[in-house]
Structure formats: structure tokens, C-alpha cells
Amino acid sequence: MNVFVTGGAGYIGSICVEELLNAGHQVTVYDNLSEGHRSAVDPRAKFVQNSLSDAASVKQVLQKSKAEAVMHFAANALVGESMANPGKYFRNNVASGLNLLDAAVECGVKKFVFSSTCATYGPPDRVPMTEDLPQRPINPYGESKLMFEKMLTWYQRIHGLEFVAFRYFNAAGASGKYGEHHRIETHLIPNVLKVALDQKPHAEIFGTDYPTPDGTCIRDYIHIADLAQAHMLGLAPGTQGFYNLGNGDGYSVREVIAACEKVSGKRVPVVEQPRRPGDPPRLVAAAEKARRELGWTPKYPKLEDIVTTAWAWHKAHPDGYPD
Ligand code: UDP
């Protein structure tokens, strides 16, 4: 298929692009490089540097790519930043995303695959979380992704745009070539691994008074190769709807730090900090729907295996991507 990938220079997008190309698809990456890296784009893909805020460009490039499917990864995705700068999230994730949706309808795209998030749920009434739980986000990031989900539903009903929206839990790990490099790193695993690489003196724990067994937040970490596998399955004609992607196992911040220490063989000193605004205490997926309906089978369900691939990438690329 011809696949148009927004955000293909970013962490999850770059690895999905690699998988798409390995599976024999033709890929056009559209990315403004505000967060992504040019060298994270597989050289077999066609690359266009521009922003989704430029509606005319999106439509023109999409048309030229003859895309049958769109994968939409481009977004701002930091809970903490969204609590300080909500406008950035609504502008980039919702308003600019709408340009892409309109272009997809105009160009007759057959399948739209959307990167959504468990942050659309807010603090859940129960865990593991199924897709039918109420969505009550507690940060603008989650709200902006929920708004896009709702737009997708209306575009499907009114324009017949077939979509799959994946609600990722915590993406982690690396492929052999591509990994996680944010210019300002806020995520837990890469920050802890930076300590193991002697690039930072200590790791920080944001909040030790949550209602969890060790007082720190619990998340469900999912390997990016497993996320990529779900995206390949989502391309199949007839697939449609919302799917959680996680392993169903929750790990606390302290447990993640312990796993990083074990994998790296380095001791990681920690400093306890206050809670980070916008963080729900516990997010754990029930992803049976994706397994049942898409035939999705995660290959790296164990946290230690996930961290092992991340550690290998960070050791090989201690400064991340060169650009
Ligand atoms: N976290 C932490 N220290 C860090 C980074 C993150 O304690 O240096 C916590 C954060 O508050 C959250 C969890 O680790 O409870 C996962 O955060 P991350 O930013 O990796 O992903 P998010 O869940 O926000 O998507």
C-alpha cells in the first residue's frame, strides 16, 4: 500500500515506518521536525518537511503520495507540558490534525490509523481498563486526543472514513536502529537510563504519596515493536474502532527504576519530588479486544526485555540522534 505517515521522524512513528517498509509498503513521511529527527527517518521512505498547520501543503503532499492509508503520529504528547501550555495541544493536536482529516476525505484515503492514548480515560473506575470505560481526561493532552477521536467518529459516520484508533499505554524500548530521543527528555525510562550512562546524577520520582503499594504511579509499559505490529494489523480492510494497546501489567516508578538498575548493572540514585500535575495514579490496559479482533500478540511483554532493548539503543547512541 501507499502509506502517508505524519510524525514519521518521531519515536513511535520512526519504528512504524521501518516496519511498514520491511513489509513492502511505500511510505511518505510528513513531519515538521519540531520533535522528530531527520536521521530517524528510514532512508527508504520519501520525506517531506512541513507542518500540518499548512492545510494546502498537507492536501498536496497527500494527493501526490497516492496514499491509500494514513498513519497519524504527529502530535505533542507530554502531560506536564500540556498542563502549562494547553493552547499548544489544542492547536497542534486538534486544529492542525483537522487539516489532515479533511485532506484524507478529499483524497479518498481508505484507512486512517490514529495514535491515541490511555490519557483519554483519566483516572479509571477500574483496572485493567477496557475500551468502554468513561473517558474523563485530567490533562489537556488527553483531552486533545479525545477530541480527535470524536472527530474521527463523526468523519466515519458522515464521510465513511474507516479508522482505527490505538490508545497506547506507555511506549518504551527500541528497535535495532531506532529509539527514543526527545530533545527535552521527560519520560521515565530514558531519564533513568541516562543516570546509568552517567549523564545525570540521579533519577527523579514524581510523587511518593499515591494510593499504590509503594506510593509511586503505576503504568503499563508496551514495546514499540508491539505497537508497530498493531499498526500493521490495523491496515487490514474492514478493521475499525478503538483499541487499547498495553500488556495488562502495571509497574510502579520504583519498579521501573529497579528494572533499569538490573538491566544496566548500574546503581541509580533517586531524588523524591512532589507529584507532577496531571498524572493519574494507575493506568493499566485490558487489551483483549486488540488480541481478539486484530490477532495482536505482543512479543515483548516483560518489562525487563523492554528495558533491555532501550538500554542497548541508549548505549549505542549515548547522545541520541545527531540532528
Ligand atoms: N516519572 C518520574 N520521573 C521521571 C519521569 C516520569 O517519576 O523522571 C513518572 C511520571 O510522573 C509518571 C510515570 O513516571 O507517573 C511515567 O511517566 P512518563 O513521562 O514516562 O509517561 P506518561 O505516563 O506521562 O505518558
Side-chain angles (χ1 to χ4, degrees):
M1 284 172 101
N2 291 321
V3 187
F4 182 86
V5 181
T6 74
Y11 172 42
I12 303 171
S14 63
I15 287 154
C16 284
V17 166
E18 185 185 23
E19 289 290 320
L20 282 167
L21 291 159
N22 287 346
H25 299 291
Q26 284 86 46
V27 176
T28 301
V29 169
Y30 189 93
D31 195 309
N32 66 0
L33 300 184
S34 67
E35 299 290 337
H37 306 271
R38 181 66 184 90
S39 54
V41 179
D42 192 306
R44 294 170 290 174
K46 185 168 184 295
F47 177 74
V48 176
Q49 183 177 351
N50 210 339
S51 169
L52 290 174
S53 62
D54 185 341
S57 157
V58 181
K59 194 178 147 194
Q60 192 218 337
V61 180
L62 184 62
Q63 201 139 40
K64 206 166 155 221
S65 75
K66 298 192 171 56
E68 295 146 283
V70 167
M71 287 193 183
H72 180 33
F73 298 95
N76 295 110
L78 301 178
V79 168
E81 182 189 51
S82 80
M83 293 294 282
N85 190 358
K88 179 173 177 182
Y89 282 71
F90 295 119
R91 191 168 299 108
N92 294 345
N93 294 359
V94 184
S96 296
L98 189 54
N99 292 334
L100 176 66
L101 264 187
D102 282 334
V105 169
E106 283 181 53
C107 297
V109 165
K110 293 194 178 59
K111 172 61 64 72
F112 196 102
V113 183
F114 176 55
S115 296
S116 192
T117 167
C118 61
T120 58
Y121 293 108
D125 294 339
R126 60 184 152 76
V127 289
M129 298 152 67
T130 46
E131 288 82 356
D132 55 353
L133 282 183
Q135 288 173 294
R136 297 175 297 225
I138 59 165
N139 52 65
Y141 166 56
E143 188 76 62
S144 69
K145 288 285 184 173
L146 178 57
M147 288 166 81
F148 199 91
E149 284 194 359
K150 290 187 174 171
M151 297 195 305
L152 273 177
T153 305
W154 286 108
Y155 272 54
Q156 190 265 326
R157 280 169 67 173
I158 295 167
H159 296 302
L161 181 65
E162 192 173 88
F163 75 86
V164 174
F166 289 120
R167 294 180 187 146
Y168 308 152
F169 282 64
N170 285 57
S175 76
K177 283 190 200 152
Y178 304 111
E180 184 166 17
H181 172 200
H182 299 103
R183 290 185 188 88
I184 297 173
E185 190 52 81
T186 64
H187 294 96
L188 180 61
I189 291 176
N191 269 328
V192 176
L193 294 180
K194 274 179 200 276
V195 182
L197 281 170
D198 295 322
Q199 294 178 345
K200 285 180 66 171
H202 54 76
E204 293 176 302
I205 299 182
F206 298 134
T208 52
D209 59 348
Y210 284 100
T212 58
D214 70 15
T216 67
C217 281
I218 290 179
R219 294 287 180 275
D220 182 340
Y221 294 86
I222 177 80
H223 198 281
I224 29 114
D226 290 328
L227 293 183
Q229 186 210 141
H231 286 72
M232 302 306 124
L233 297 167
L235 283 180
T239 55
Q240 162 76 34
F242 299 97
Y243 294 93
N244 288 342
L245 296 180
N247 281 310
D249 295 318
Y251 294 95
S252 72
V253 173
R254 289 191 201 280
E255 287 172 324
V256 171
I257 294 170
C260 292
E261 286 186 313
K262 188 168 174 209
V263 165
S264 66
K266 300 279 179 68
R267 204 181 72 81
V268 174
V270 299
V271 171
E272 296 181 2
Q273 301 283 15
R275 291 181 180 197
R276 191 175 70 175
D279 275 342
R282 186 193 292 257
L283 296 170
V284 179
E288 276 68 30
K289 188 178 175 214
R291 290 171 179 272
R292 191 175 60 242
E293 294 185 7
L294 304 179
W296 182 59
T297 318
K299 290 200 182 77
Y300 305 94
K302 285 206 214 127
L303 179 64
E304 220 175 287
D305 294 343
I306 295 174
V307 171
T308 298
T309 66
W311 176 237
W313 193 83
H314 285 283
K315 263 197 310 187
H317 306 85
D319 300 318
Y321 293 111
D323 52 346

